[in-house]
Amino acid sequence: MTSRMTRRRALAAAAAAGFGLPAAAQAAPQPSRRRGNRMNLRVATFNASLHRAAAGQLLEDLAADADSGVGEDPQIRAVAEIIQINNPDIVLLNEFDHDEDGAGVDLFRKNYLEVSQNGKSPVTYRYSFTAPVNTGVPSGHDLNGDGTVGGADDAWGFGEFPGQYGMVILSRYPILTKQIRTFQKLRWADMPSNLLPTEYYGPEISAELPLSSKSHWDVPVRVGSSTIHVLASHPTPPSFDGAEKRNQRRNHDEIRLWADYLSPGQRSRWIEDDTGTRGGLAPSEQFVILGDLNADLLDGDSWPGAIDQLLSHPRVRDTRPGSDGAVEASEVQGGANLEHAGDPRLDTADFTDDPAPGNLRVDYVLPSRTLQAVFSAVYWPLTGHPGSELTGSSPFPASDHRLVRADLQIKE
């Protein structure tokens, strides 16, 4: 049996050896910097917690103030400031409530991103994509087995209303809209050798249940002479389960969808998008997987091997983005963090420490191996450093997740 060093032991060893936390986080390099016939493309994922308790509430919060003419919601301003600081060329936002007209995306850009937040430079994204998700869509079945039908637990994906916890992609580069593939309706039962708990759900529900708790998107973006496929998703948390482990199983298989999608031949042949087209991503295509995948390699409640399906995939590059702030938080907050086996530097989410799970790595930017990564980081400033008021215990922190970014070299 291989021994595992817990975080408590690792931090103690570092202190004994005289290693401390760096005085300041490394500054972010500029995106889209040209290097000969190549350019840096900064891609990011951010679970921005732009979800609200009722349909339409986010639109109200995104609206401009009648007096100032700009958005004044403090949490949304914090989210916008983090994006302005990191200045990604392409960013996936998880937990952004979806509305059919896409009005929320436009309001967020106009009233927050394109307005300076605390002196930061405004950012402009000409292109965007959003689409319906399964969260909050009534199933008509008693999915949680409580004897009643209706409510968030009985939706195809947990949610109080259709579109809650949706997704948005913002891009400075053209999105090839006619080539987008979505997998909202793909049935879990159609996945070969799936982990669907059919005995729990029964045959009728098992035959209807979609695999994706929100949706899975393949969104091609044209960057110079190259096309980058943005593979976006937000699998269900592997928590709130009974003995059947339905959420752990679904999280594993939602992650597996991308692993199969990137694999040629029989392994991806079962995959069918919402237009009826079958198959996965061609081996010659470049991609980056983005999203809050709700799975840590070594800690938390994930089904064994869930995220390793991607981290060990032969087409995927793990740049292991990290931060000094996450190391500091693990030590200061204690609790479950000190017994974790994973490297605290890689954490991307500040979860409850006592009781578990503690802080985890759940948000990912995973480019294809054909793309060279020149920089990666998690935006988690040290306490007292600029930006820490946006991520710490301030009255209006942006989110319990941190923005994760990577700079990739792309041919022009």
Side-chain angles (χ1 to χ4, degrees):
M1 178 180 294
T2 302
S3 62
R4 301 194 311 177
M5 178 176 282
T6 65
R7 295 189 183 189
R8 184 191 301 274
R9 291 171 58 195
L11 291 164
F19 299 128
L21 295 173
Q26 184 174 353
Q30 292 298 312
S32 303
R33 178 178 296 167
R34 286 170 171 76
R35 298 170 180 255
N37 66 339
R38 294 177 179 269
M39 61 186 295
N40 281 357
L41 176 77
R42 180 171 300 159
V43 290
T45 189
F46 189 16
N47 182 330
S49 297
L50 293 177
H51 61 86
R52 297 298 185 260
Q57 186 177 341
L58 179 61
L59 294 178
E60 295 178 6
D61 293 345
L62 289 167
D65 180 79
D67 296 324
S68 67
V70 298
E72 297 290 351
D73 183 277
Q75 185 247 342
I76 304 177
R77 290 191 64 188
V79 169
E81 185 172 352
I82 289 173
I83 295 173
Q84 290 176 352
I85 291 169
N86 288 274
N87 197 18
D89 297 305
I90 300 171
V91 59
L92 168 68
L93 301 178
N94 286 132
E95 297 195 3
F96 190 111
D97 289 348
H98 176 75
D99 64 275
E100 291 186 5
D101 298 328
V105 180
D106 293 336
L107 290 172
F108 182 54
R109 287 186 289 191
K110 178 182 178 182
N111 296 335
Y112 289 90
L113 293 178
E114 296 172 8
V115 176
S116 174
Q117 305 296 338
N118 291 319
K120 308 303 186 298
S121 296
V123 292
T124 300
Y125 295 101
R126 181 178 176 185
Y127 306 96
S128 67
F129 177 76
T130 188
V133 292
N134 287 321
T135 39
V137 176
S139 69
H141 299 288
D142 178 15
L143 298 184
N144 65 352
D146 67 353
T148 62
V149 174
D153 275 322
D154 289 336
W156 285 133
F158 180 88
E160 297 290 347
F161 57 88
Q164 190 179 33
Y165 311 113
M167 306 191 295
V168 171
I169 292 174
L170 301 174
S171 175
R172 290 194 173 100
Y173 294 96
I175 293 174
L176 305 179
T177 55
K178 293 183 179 180
Q179 299 177 30
I180 292 173
R181 301 181 71 188
T182 64
F183 302 90
Q184 181 192 8
K185 300 175 183 178
L186 182 64
R187 295 183 303 177
W188 192 356
D190 291 338
M191 172 182 276
S193 303
N194 60 67
L195 297 181
L196 174 63
T198 53
E199 291 185 2
Y200 171 80
Y201 284 118
E204 182 180 2
I205 295 175
S206 295
E208 296 180 37
L209 188 64
L211 172 60
S212 184
S213 55
K214 285 85 177 175
S215 190
H216 286 65
W217 301 338
D218 175 350
V219 179
V221 179
R222 192 70 174 173
V223 182
S225 60
S226 299
T227 297
I228 309 299
H229 290 257
V230 176
L231 306 183
S233 63
H234 185 192
T236 193
S239 308
F240 317 109
D241 275 329
E244 79 292 336
K245 303 298 182 184
R246 65 189 187 276
N247 291 325
Q248 283 189 18
R249 293 167 179 267
R250 192 178 191 181
N251 173 271
H252 174 280
D253 282 357
E254 287 193 70
I255 294 171
R256 183 190 146 190
L257 173 57
W258 285 141
D260 286 4
Y261 192 68
L262 298 176
S263 302
Q266 185 63 35
R267 187 171 169 187
S268 60
R269 198 164 296 153
W270 68 272
I271 300 173
E272 182 178 333
D273 65 29
D274 293 332
T275 67
T277 302
R278 287 186 172 271
L281 188 66
S284 60
E285 297 293 335
Q286 301 179 111
F287 63 86
V288 58
I289 299 169
L290 300 179
D292 172 5
L293 303 186
N294 272 314
D296 186 291
L297 182 63
L298 297 173
D299 303 303
D301 299 326
S302 299
W303 191 269
I307 193 60
D308 196 48
Q309 298 175 105
L310 294 179
L311 298 183
S312 64
H313 195 285
R315 292 184 67 181
V316 173
R317 182 189 300 276
D318 181 11
T319 65
R320 293 173 61 83
S323 70
D324 297 328
V327 179
E328 177 190 47
S330 177
E331 182 178 28
V332 171
Q333 295 171 2
N337 296 302
L338 299 181
E339 301 304 324
H340 282 179
D343 183 352
R345 183 176 178 78
L346 304 181
D347 288 343
T348 68
D350 189 356
F351 294 142
T352 303
D353 310 302
D354 187 11
N359 303 341
L360 300 172
R361 182 190 185 190
V362 295
D363 305 273
Y364 293 88
V365 176
L366 299 173
S368 55
R369 286 191 173 271
T370 54
L371 296 171
Q372 182 179 354
V374 297
F375 180 84
S376 65
V378 177
Y379 185 72
W380 197 329
L382 290 163
T383 301
H385 286 246
S388 61
E389 73 281 0
L390 302 171
T391 59
S393 57
S394 63
F396 300 103
S399 172
D400 54 354
H401 291 253
R402 306 294 179 254
L403 181 144
V404 182
R405 68 177 188 264
D407 284 3
L408 311 173
Q409 285 198 343
I410 309 295
K411 287 185 178 181
E412 290 194 78

